[in-house]
Amino acid sequence: MNVTSRKENHCIQRHKIYCVPGFGVDERIFANLEVDADLRFLNWIKPYQKESIENYARRMAENIKEEHPVILGVSFGGMMAIEIDKFLPAKQVIIISGVKCRKELPFHLKCIGNLRLDKIFPVKKIQQSNKVYKIANKRLGAVTPQEQAFANAYRRTADIEYVNWSFDKILNWKNKAYPHGIIHIHGDADRIFPIKTISPTHVIKSGTHMMVYNRANEISTIINKVLGEMAVSS
């Protein structure tokens, strides 16, 4: 009788996870996750001209209905999850293949941002060059033809205003603090945000920047364990 009651209670309290995808992609990046939660997707919206990351985060969070949500962000989506937590304190923030603060950004990205080199060499023009697709896919960790086609499709269709705005915000993110108890899952073969500058809570061996898509089983196991611990403590 008591066991049945606990199971029913667990079903009633099934978590919602608000998922923020990585730079330039949408909810399809989460397609291979198998987690014990209802996934809700906060896809990218068109930025206003010269919009701050703080204001953009507030607009993106308009679809969050809980007072203390669970937020999961991948790459740039992890930065956005942390920004949302600043005005809408989360029950749990989970980031994958991302950085928690400016000091975790690799040195070369800090330099590009400080020197404003992204303004000299427009990102969109580089992304539309077929010559750099192979290099970009290698850095991303897109190995199979399916993964490469997946990544290339986003590069070809990404909105130029969003691309330039996002890249500027990534390069010039000034964040110094992050939520207590944050879960940070990172791959030790990530070439976008190398692990040598990062202090994750969970490491995926040989995981690349695309591991939420191609190492989803291992990541799902970690997330499900976190959800289970949350259920016990609540």
Side-chain angles (χ1 to χ4, degrees):
M1 183 68 176
N2 290 336
V3 173
T4 303
S5 177
R6 284 198 294 270
K7 287 184 177 179
E8 289 174 352
N9 188 51
H10 175 67
C11 290
I12 292 171
Q13 295 182 358
R14 182 179 171 91
H15 287 289
K16 296 184 182 71
I17 301 181
Y18 289 89
C19 302
V20 189
F23 171 65
V25 298
D26 60 23
E27 74 271 11
R28 286 172 286 181
I29 197 67
F30 301 106
N32 296 331
L33 288 180
E34 295 185 3
V35 296
D36 185 24
D38 297 321
L39 302 186
R40 306 294 174 91
F41 305 107
L42 302 178
N43 285 325
W44 300 108
I45 53 181
K46 194 175 184 68
Y48 298 143
Q49 187 174 13
K50 297 182 180 180
E51 184 172 16
S52 68
I53 192 170
E54 294 83 4
N55 192 70
Y56 187 96
R58 287 185 178 275
R59 291 201 297 128
M60 177 173 268
E62 288 177 358
N63 289 324
I64 298 178
K65 306 306 179 185
E66 283 73 29
E67 290 186 2
H68 300 288
V70 178
I71 310 174
L72 184 156
V74 174
S75 189
F76 182 38
M79 295 180 179
M80 197 59 62
I82 291 171
E83 290 295 327
I84 292 172
D85 177 78
K86 291 177 181 179
F87 61 85
L88 184 61
K91 185 173 184 179
Q92 181 67 65
V93 174
I94 303 170
I95 68 172
I96 301 170
S97 305
V99 298
K100 300 186 290 295
C101 53
R102 184 163 183 81
K103 72 177 184 179
E104 291 192 336
L105 279 173
F107 179 74
H108 71 280
L109 289 185
K110 292 178 186 175
C111 288
I112 292 173
N114 291 337
L115 297 174
R116 312 299 288 177
L117 295 181
D118 57 310
K119 304 301 181 184
I120 301 173
F121 304 103
V123 180
K124 184 65 176 178
K125 290 184 179 180
I126 295 173
Q127 284 196 320
Q128 287 183 331
S129 171
N130 288 324
K131 294 181 180 179
V132 302
Y133 273 23
K134 288 185 178 180
I135 297 173
N137 284 334
K138 187 174 182 179
R139 287 179 57 80
L140 184 64
V143 178
T144 69
Q146 179 189 15
E147 292 166 1
Q148 292 171 2
F150 181 84
N152 292 343
Y154 283 112
R155 292 190 185 99
R156 296 189 184 100
T157 60
D159 178 81
I160 187 170
E161 291 182 23
Y162 163 80
V163 167
N164 288 329
W165 178 87
S166 297
F167 200 56
D168 174 71
K169 300 311 173 191
I170 293 169
L171 295 176
N172 296 288
W173 198 42
K174 305 300 183 184
N175 187 59
K176 295 181 179 179
Y178 47 86
H180 175 73
I182 190 171
I183 300 298
H184 186 169
I185 308 170
H186 211 82
D188 64 8
D190 194 311
R191 297 184 63 183
I192 304 297
F193 296 138
I195 199 169
K196 65 182 180 180
T197 63
I198 291 170
S199 300
T201 58
H202 299 75
V203 177
I204 302 295
K205 186 173 178 57
S206 302
T208 67
H209 201 67
M210 201 171 176
M211 68 182 188
V212 71
Y213 188 78
N214 58 26
R215 301 288 292 275
N217 287 343
E218 293 156 84
I219 292 172
S220 296
T221 297
I222 295 171
I223 295 173
N224 283 327
K225 182 178 180 181
V226 171
L227 294 174
E229 292 170 349
M230 289 171 58
V232 170
S233 62
S234 62

